[in-house]
Amino acid sequence: MSLDPASLTIASARDGLKAKQFSAAELAEAAIGAMQAARPLNAVLVETPDRARADAKRADQRLAKGEAGALEGIPLAIKDLFCTEGVETTAGSKILKGFKPTYESTVTANLWREGAVMLGKVNMDEFAMGSSNETSAYGNVENPWRRPGDNRPLVPGGSSGGSAAAVSAGFCLGATGTDTGGSIRQPAGFTGIVGLKPTYGRCSRWGIVAFASSLDQAGPMTRSVRDAAIMLGAMAGFDPKDSTSVDLPVPNYEASVGQSVKGLRIGVPKEYRLDGMPAEIETLWQQGIAWLKEAGCEIVDVSLPHTKYALPAYYIVAPAEASSNLARYDGVRFGHRAAGAKGINELYAKTRGEGFGPEVRRRVLIGTYVLSAGYYDAYYIKAQQVRTLILRDFEKVFGEVDALLAPTAPSAAFPIGDKADDPISMYLNDVFTVPVNLAGLPGMSVPAGLSADGLPLGLQLIGKAFDEATLFRVGAAVEKAANFTARPKPWWRA
Amino acid sequence: MSNLIKGETGEWEIVIGMEVHAQVISESKLFSGAATAFGAEPNSQVSLVDAAMPGMLPVINEAAVRQAVKTGLGLQAKINLRSIFDRKNYFYPDLPAGYQISQYQHPIVGTGSLTIELADGSSREIGITRLHLEQDAGKSLHDQSPSSTYIDLNRAGVALMEIVSEPDLRSSEEAGAYLAKMRSILRYLGTCDGNMEEGSMRADVNVSVRKPGGPLGTRCEIKNVNSVRFVKQAIEYEARRQIELIEGGGKVDQETRLFDTGRGVTRSMRSKEEAHDYRYFPDPDLVPLVLAPEFVERLKEELPELPDTKKQRFVRELGLSPYDAEVLVAEKESADFFEAVAKGRDAKTAANWVTGEYFAALNRAGATIAEFPVSAEKLGELIDLVADGTLSNRLAKDVFEGMAETGKSAAEIVAERGLKQVSDTGAIEAAIDKVIAANADKVAEYRAGKDKLYGFFVGQVMKAMGGKANPQALNDLLKRKLSA
Amino acid sequence: MSLDKATVARIARLARLEVPDDQLETVAGELGHILAFVEQLNEVNTQGVAPMTAVVEMGLRLRADKVTEGGDPEKVLANAPERAGDYFVVPKVVE
Ligand SMILES: [Mg+2]
Ligand SMILES: [Zn+2]
């Protein structure tokens, strides 16, 4: 029997391991083989097969002793934004080439504690700045999906594009992502998988390379809603090392999966209906509404009047925080250092000029500008005020409804290079995901259908703060109704 | 006393404001669990947070918050129950994150005041603008290599309190008194050790000059001055420089200057093109610091008696002169020492001993109270020997010298040297009789009205008795005998 | 809002980010484009609205004052591009 990780979910693998249908070592070996076969996707930056084998061996021992953790023996891919002890961590940037952390991020440490197996570190937009994975210093990731009869490579979305591609291509059972403006949900949507951005404060940010501290949040990317629930349960939790981590118990998320959604009130925000949005996105959205109605939900039309301003506010707040967060990449204590610089200021300017790619440079400059003397009030304060208004919009609506339903992204995956020249059109990818980050709320993308081009499309569910449980409940209902079984053709194995 | 300075065009007034950076006494750093001890091996007290490794996050130290609030209370300042930490962004190799976590618009402590005493006995209240918490930077060593600067991050992230005064100071003397008083209060509170040589306390001095009553002049900031004496010297030099510049037809540029301690001059630190734009914004890794009113209340109750209150008590309850009280309370150690000596004894006598013999000896030895061999207990015992008539004041001073040299107790030295005062009237009478017999002419003169000779007889008797006669007994007997 | 080359040069200097002279024009154009986009915010009336300072509603947690880290220079120096003994090394900084 040849074991195919693509045919498994975390939940089914867990059952298979418990029932001794296969061992963790066998599963790891299969995953390593599939990962290596998928190299044409350029999803993996560092393969860690030896580590995977060692992890799997320990998992088998713990399984044998009945000490299995929630993810015992499950092969995962880790976004390269998570610092992993002794394993190169680059954040997709040249400036961190060769950087081997002497510490392990809290979220990944939680995963290893629960028995997960590390397959490798996966590609991403540089410092998580991007929506297509084209800003990675290590080459773009290719989406496992292609339009039928069209070999043009498509973007997997971003910034967690490597994670999305890895899960979609099927060589791992789940991957970690991070979501600052949609970086989990949008690539999940583009690759036909489930991606969840938890409430801000739910997962520790300690040991995750910071992009925009008030927006960043780690979350799971999986092939099913149940898997996302299992994985988030392991990732989440209070961390005293993160001052923004919230000290609340982690509920049993998996228990929410399959619970009836009857009587839940689902809001449909009218401002998420954009001019020029493809009709098929609207159609999918209506389909989702119909599914939830059928499942017994009450659909409520709601208004989030400041939605339009989320993206411009985001493009002030995120670069501002990033410009400061990225000041530490200066060639002094770690990472790239420019050769031959005369004097410290030249060393800084050259190191950073060489080490950062164009999109990162752009955002560092914008962020520096909006914080600089004379512009701070007009840009930064204004954006943070708008953020307050956006949060108030959500709070008001959540007085009436239990969750919101909206599209994940305004389009399906697009060809590599299509939007690379126009930052604004690229930024518009995140128009439906960014408000959730600004308000710190949880959001989940569930694959719900195929575009006319045969590419996956996602529906997004938005929940109240720390109410991921409801998202899993409603997300499972959408998943069941959508019965999305399409898979990309494994052209990369050719 | 006028503070005005004479220039060629008339009198000038100096306007001074101070920013004191005081290192908080704590085991660990402001936002990390690395140690703060002075003088450790390079980079041995550095956490991943202090080195600003990717993904590291700050978590605030409870003790630093407590110390800041205590200091605020000691400066009679408003404690802000909600304060915010901001990032101050700039690049320097000893600033690992590329920003310093500080407090900008919403500091933990608001306005307060501090009273300074001046040499002429007057006192002035100086306004405190604010106190905020911030991180210290690391250390750059420029002299280890001809082509490189070495970086040690042991200090990086250590908690500092920046205490900013109003521009209320008007002379170098006032500025010196301010810094000394600040140091004293911090040490009383136990919030900063005030050790200026080790850099636990340093001052940025803002100096400008103006015609009396005129508008404020352009100020220069003299950075990191690390002693009271240097603060005074720097201000005197800088005020002179500005006056001469203006009177020569020039104008003062607002700039940062350094005090060259070797040459006693200030000089411009950075060229003007290096204009700073710190791009302050609230640190998104931290949420607002919110203090419970009870937290502040509890610290208020635990506050020790501070120098001003102590001085008042010494004057009012112990009957000390304002001068002695001032001298004693200047340092917590000396006030504590005095109180230990005075306990159960005459306070004025104790004060005289401490401010007189004891301080003089301390000075000569260049020692601290803790190091000096004469403890409060031992000094008290010596005073008791005077009070019970065992020692005369003069003998007691000799005994004190012996105690300072050997560390022995007063009783031991008295016994060793046989210095016990003689109160036995028989022995004193015998000595008096001898002196009277040997100086019949002088006795006659005295009896004829030459009162001044009395001292001569006292001296002769004392000499005859090796200085050990009880002065009271000697007096009584001598007067009786001479008038007989 | 359009930016001029001098402003871009000043910002680049503040950010310690080398932007070659022949790219200033292009970068100015890109940044101006983004600024024009974000300036939509001027349509929003934000009078009296408090700017968001924390996403989660809570006060800062205080850590006990204990030494729990440090003592291992290798841990912080392991990735240093240049070091001398246990110091980080940079080109000479002139005060
Ligand atoms: Mg200053
Ligand atoms: Zn300061």
Side-chain angles (χ1 to χ4, degrees):
Chain A
M1 177 203 83
S2 97
L3 190 58
D4 180 7
S7 68
L8 297 169
T9 60
I10 293 175
S12 70
R14 182 178 63 187
D15 296 344
L17 287 163
K18 279 217 178 102
K20 299 199 165 60
Q21 287 165 5
F22 47 84
S23 68
E26 285 165 334
L27 179 56
E29 221 48 65
I32 291 166
M35 168 171 72
Q36 288 168 348
R39 280 175 187 161
L41 295 173
N42 194 33
V44 185
L45 294 176
V46 182
E47 296 176 352
T48 56
D50 296 344
R51 164 73 187 267
R53 290 183 181 109
D55 287 351
K57 191 173 167 194
R58 202 184 47 231
D60 279 326
Q61 288 162 357
R62 301 212 316 187
L63 281 158
K65 281 192 270 181
E67 293 169 358
L71 291 168
E72 203 67 53
I74 304 297
L76 300 180
I78 303 299
K79 188 178 184 181
D80 206 29
L81 206 61
F82 292 78
C83 289
T84 41
E85 190 172 352
V87 179
E88 187 180 9
T89 300
T90 68
S93 181
K94 205 174 134 186
I95 210 160
L96 275 175
K97 191 163 179 42
F99 174 65
K100 285 189 180 167
T102 54
Y103 50 96
E104 184 77 27
S105 85
T106 298
V107 161
T108 48
N110 289 347
L111 293 172
W112 315 141
R113 187 197 60 214
E114 292 300 326
V117 170
M118 177 155 91
L119 272 183
K121 299 293 291 288
V122 288
N123 206 345
M124 54 179 286
D125 279 301
E126 184 178 6
F127 281 105
M129 298 178 190
S131 307
S132 66
N133 240 273
E134 290 164 283
T135 74
S136 169
Y138 304 99
N140 50 263
V141 176
E142 194 175 329
N143 194 327
W145 291 78
R146 285 179 172 175
R147 290 170 181 157
D150 181 347
N151 278 347
R152 271 186 302 169
L154 305 177
V155 303
S159 64
S160 308
S163 308
V167 174
S168 168
F171 63 75
C172 61
L173 302 193
T176 61
T178 64
D179 190 317
T180 304
S183 284
I184 287 176
R185 291 160 289 160
Q186 183 255 19
F190 276 18
T191 55
I193 64 167
V194 174
L196 178 122
K197 179 207 110 63
T199 311
Y200 186 82
R202 180 76 286 190
C203 288
S204 169
R205 293 184 298 112
W206 194 90
I208 301 174
V209 174
F211 162 14
S213 310
S214 74
L215 302 162
D216 296 345
Q217 191 58 204
M221 300 175 80
T222 56
R223 284 197 289 272
S224 76
V225 172
R226 179 179 297 274
D227 284 4
I230 296 169
M231 201 170 150
L232 179 64
M235 294 167 77
F238 172 60
D239 182 4
K241 291 189 288 191
D242 175 357
S243 296
T244 62
S245 168
V246 175
D247 193 359
L248 281 176
V250 179
N252 179 356
Y253 293 126
E254 197 182 354
S256 299
V257 176
Q259 268 183 29
S260 165
V261 295
K262 216 174 186 145
L264 285 182
R265 294 169 64 89
I266 304 298
V268 177
K270 66 169 191 239
E271 288 80 7
Y272 282 52
R273 198 159 279 121
L274 288 188
D275 289 346
M277 187 168 82
E280 60 190 10
I281 303 288
E282 174 69 30
T283 308
L284 180 81
W285 194 5
Q286 291 308 323
Q287 180 62 259
I289 292 169
W291 287 333
L292 288 176
K293 242 187 215 162
E294 250 166 70
C297 292
E298 190 184 334
I299 304 298
V300 185
D301 286 321
V302 297
S303 171
L304 298 164
H306 295 92
T307 299
K308 178 183 171 201
Y309 301 106
L311 208 52
Y314 175 84
Y315 274 96
I316 292 171
V317 173
E321 293 182 6
S323 72
S324 176
N325 282 336
L326 268 56
R328 68 189 56 199
Y329 305 101
D330 59 3
V332 174
R333 297 165 316 286
F334 47 78
H336 175 71
R337 172 184 286 200
K342 290 180 288 296
I344 186 73
N345 283 320
E346 194 181 309
L347 178 95
Y348 288 148
K350 273 193 162 14
T351 295
R352 293 162 60 78
E354 291 171 5
F356 292 147
E359 183 61 23
V360 173
R361 286 205 294 267
R362 213 160 17 237
R363 296 203 197 183
V364 166
L365 291 173
I366 281 286
T368 303
Y369 181 75
V370 299
L371 289 175
S372 69
Y375 298 98
Y376 178 75
D377 289 347
Y379 290 103
Y380 186 78
I381 292 293
K382 183 81 182 180
Q384 292 287 32
Q385 287 175 314
V386 169
R387 209 173 160 185
T388 300
L389 293 174
I390 288 167
L391 176 62
R392 282 187 200 160
D393 283 356
F394 277 114
E395 283 171 346
K396 197 167 154 227
V397 159
F398 279 123
E400 300 168 44
V401 301
D402 300 298
L404 297 167
L405 179 72
T408 300
S411 76
F414 46 86
I416 289 173
D418 254 24
K419 300 187 181 188
D421 308 335
D422 181 2
I424 304 288
S425 84
M426 187 67 88
Y427 296 172
L428 284 169
N429 265 292
D430 297 331
V431 66
F432 299 141
T433 46
V434 151
V436 171
N437 298 80
L438 290 174
L441 302 174
M444 172 157 66
S445 178
V446 181
L450 292 175
S451 70
D453 281 350
L455 297 177
L457 294 171
L459 280 174
Q460 182 183 202
L461 292 161
I462 301 168
K464 298 175 187 174
F466 297 101
D467 189 21
E468 285 83 0
T470 297
L471 291 189
F472 286 121
R473 196 169 151 194
V474 181
V478 170
E479 181 182 54
K480 191 176 166 201
N483 190 27
F484 184 86
T485 53
R487 302 298 305 272
K489 287 206 174 64
W491 50 264
W492 56 89
R493 283 193 199 151
Chain B
M1 187 174 68
S2 168
N3 284 325
L4 301 181
I5 296 192
K6 257 209 147 35
E8 281 174 10
T9 60
E11 293 190 309
W12 292 87
E13 182 180 39
I14 320 179
V15 177
I16 305 155
M18 301 253 269
E19 290 164 27
V20 171
H21 281 97
Q23 181 180 329
V24 171
I25 294 178
S26 63
E27 294 297 314
S28 63
K29 295 183 180 179
L30 181 53
F31 291 111
S32 86
T36 57
F38 181 78
E41 291 298 307
N43 289 309
S44 65
Q45 295 180 161
V46 182
S47 78
L48 298 163
V49 178
D50 306 323
M53 290 290 161
M56 292 301 97
L57 299 171
V59 182
I60 199 165
N61 182 345
E62 188 257 351
V65 172
R66 201 162 6 93
Q67 297 286 53
V69 171
K70 254 166 103 175
T71 306
L73 293 170
L75 296 169
Q76 354 272 337
K78 178 176 183 297
I79 306 302
N80 293 323
L81 294 181
R82 186 174 187 274
S83 66
I84 289 175
F85 286 94
D86 297 280
R87 293 185 182 178
K88 179 181 182 178
N89 295 283
Y90 65 95
F91 286 86
Y92 204 78
D94 61 21
L95 185 74
Y99 56 83
Q100 174 196 35
I101 305 179
S102 181
Q103 297 189 297
Y104 187 50
Q105 283 181 341
H106 304 279
I108 186 166
V109 175
T111 54
S113 70
L114 174 152
T115 305
I116 55 170
E117 276 80 20
L118 300 164
D120 65 359
S122 66
S123 64
R124 280 196 62 206
E125 193 169 285
I126 306 301
I128 302 289
T129 314
R130 59 184 281 157
L131 175 156
H132 68 250
L133 278 169
E134 63 182 26
Q135 298 174 300
D136 204 350
K139 207 161 104 190
S140 297
L141 295 92
H142 304 295
D143 51 2
Q144 306 283 305
S145 138
S147 57
S148 307
T149 292
Y150 288 14
I151 309 292
D152 173 14
L153 298 178
N154 280 349
R155 278 196 84 103
V158 165
L160 299 178
M161 297 179 281
E162 180 173 327
I163 309 166
V164 182
S165 86
E166 294 290 316
D168 286 350
L169 299 158
R170 290 292 175 271
S171 69
S172 61
E173 188 207 354
E174 290 187 4
Y178 173 86
L179 189 57
K181 185 61 173 283
M182 182 66 75
R183 181 172 180 270
S184 163
I185 290 177
L186 297 177
R187 288 165 56 99
Y188 266 84
L189 291 165
T191 58
C192 170
D193 68 19
N195 192 332
M196 298 185 87
E197 293 95 84
E198 288 179 4
S200 325
M201 208 178 140
R202 46 201 200 258
D204 298 342
V205 192
N206 288 290
V207 180
S208 66
V209 297
R210 66 173 173 191
K211 292 286 182 163
L216 284 175
T218 305
R219 65 191 163 90
C220 289
E221 182 177 17
I222 311 164
K223 280 269 177 209
N224 280 335
V225 191
N226 68 351
S227 82
V228 171
R229 187 164 61 94
F230 291 153
V231 161
K232 290 182 174 180
Q233 285 176 8
I235 291 169
E236 267 151 36
Y237 176 86
E238 180 60 19
R240 257 304 144 210
R241 185 187 73 86
Q242 292 184 14
I243 291 167
E244 280 166 19
L245 194 62
I246 299 167
E247 291 188 332
K251 74 183 227 328
V252 176
D253 288 327
Q254 183 164 343
E255 62 176 354
T256 305
R257 299 180 69 84
L258 271 180
F259 181 61
D260 182 331
T261 53
R263 293 165 52 216
V265 302
T266 67
R267 58 181 163 81
S268 190
M269 210 168 134
R270 289 194 183 110
S271 55
K272 270 148 267 158
E273 57 104 16
E274 188 67 64
H276 285 293
D277 183 343
Y278 291 123
R279 290 159 284 137
Y280 281 101
F281 74 107
D283 189 333
D285 288 332
L286 297 163
V287 294
L289 173 60
V290 179
L291 304 175
E294 308 81 64
F295 175 83
V296 177
E297 222 28 66
R298 218 175 319 120
L299 289 174
K300 205 178 232 167
E301 282 159 20
E302 291 166 10
L303 222 54
E305 185 183 39
L306 292 174
D308 291 346
T309 327
K310 204 181 275 289
K311 181 186 167 187
Q312 283 168 22
R313 178 166 62 82
F314 284 3
V315 171
R316 210 177 307 133
E317 291 176 21
L318 303 181
L320 303 195
S321 72
Y323 179 81
D324 278 356
E326 179 66 31
V327 169
L328 287 170
V329 303
E331 290 291 343
K332 185 176 186 295
E333 288 74 13
S334 47
D336 288 349
F337 183 85
F338 159 72
E339 291 214 80
V341 175
K343 195 162 184 222
R345 303 191 172 91
D346 178 58
K348 277 169 121 171
T349 309
N352 284 338
W353 270 98
V354 174
T355 60
E357 299 305 308
Y358 178 79
F359 278 178
L362 210 57
N363 258 333
R364 276 197 304 276
T368 65
I369 288 177
E371 295 159 356
F372 201 64
V374 182
S375 65
E377 195 190 347
K378 285 179 177 161
L379 182 57
E381 288 163 4
L382 175 64
I383 293 171
D384 291 342
L385 291 180
V386 178
D388 71 9
T390 307
L391 288 175
S392 67
N393 262 320
R394 230 208 70 208
L395 274 181
K397 284 174 187 173
D398 294 342
V399 171
F400 178 79
E401 298 302 325
M403 291 163 71
E405 275 161 31
T406 64
K408 290 178 181 166
S409 72
E412 282 175 284
I413 292 183
V414 166
E416 269 176 28
R417 302 191 190 171
L419 289 177
K420 209 167 153 53
Q421 174 172 275
V422 179
S423 302
D424 168 18
T425 48
I428 298 172
E429 250 187 290
I432 291 174
D433 289 343
K434 265 192 198 155
V435 171
I436 287 178
N439 296 283
D441 47 342
K442 294 226 165 65
V443 174
E445 283 176 53
Y446 176 81
R447 285 186 174 144
K450 204 171 175 185
D451 290 352
K452 273 195 288 185
L453 280 169
Y454 182 72
F456 165 80
F457 296 114
V458 174
Q460 290 298 306
V461 177
M462 267 299 184
K463 194 177 164 193
M465 295 195 66
K468 286 183 261 181
N470 179 327
Q472 196 57 51
L474 186 151
N475 257 322
D476 291 349
L477 288 167
L478 183 62
K479 277 198 176 136
R480 198 145 29 86
K481 294 256 176 192
L482 285 172
S483 58
Chain C
M1 157 123 199
S2 65
L3 289 186
D4 55 21
K5 278 162 63 174
T7 307
V8 175
R10 182 176 63 82
I11 294 300
R13 166 79 189 153
L14 260 183
R16 299 294 188 275
L17 195 56
E18 188 174 69
V19 179
D21 281 351
D22 61 358
Q23 283 177 32
L24 285 175
E25 194 83 61
T26 317
V27 174
E30 288 171 357
L31 299 187
H33 197 45
I34 297 168
L35 289 174
F37 172 68
V38 302
E39 277 164 15
Q40 288 176 67
L41 293 189
N42 294 334
E43 296 165 14
V44 188
N45 179 2
T46 51
Q47 201 150 33
V49 178
M52 193 184 270
T53 41
V55 192
V56 277
E57 253 180 83
M58 60 177 190
L60 207 49
R61 268 191 313 273
L62 308 180
R63 164 177 63 80
D65 182 26
K66 293 214 181 75
V67 177
T68 54
E69 296 168 280
D72 186 359
E74 222 39 57
K75 216 169 175 174
V76 292
L77 285 148
N79 285 283
E82 191 184 349
R83 60 187 279 188
D86 283 346
Y87 290 105
F88 295 100
V89 175
V90 297
K92 191 94 170 172
V93 178
V94 250
E95 292 264 300

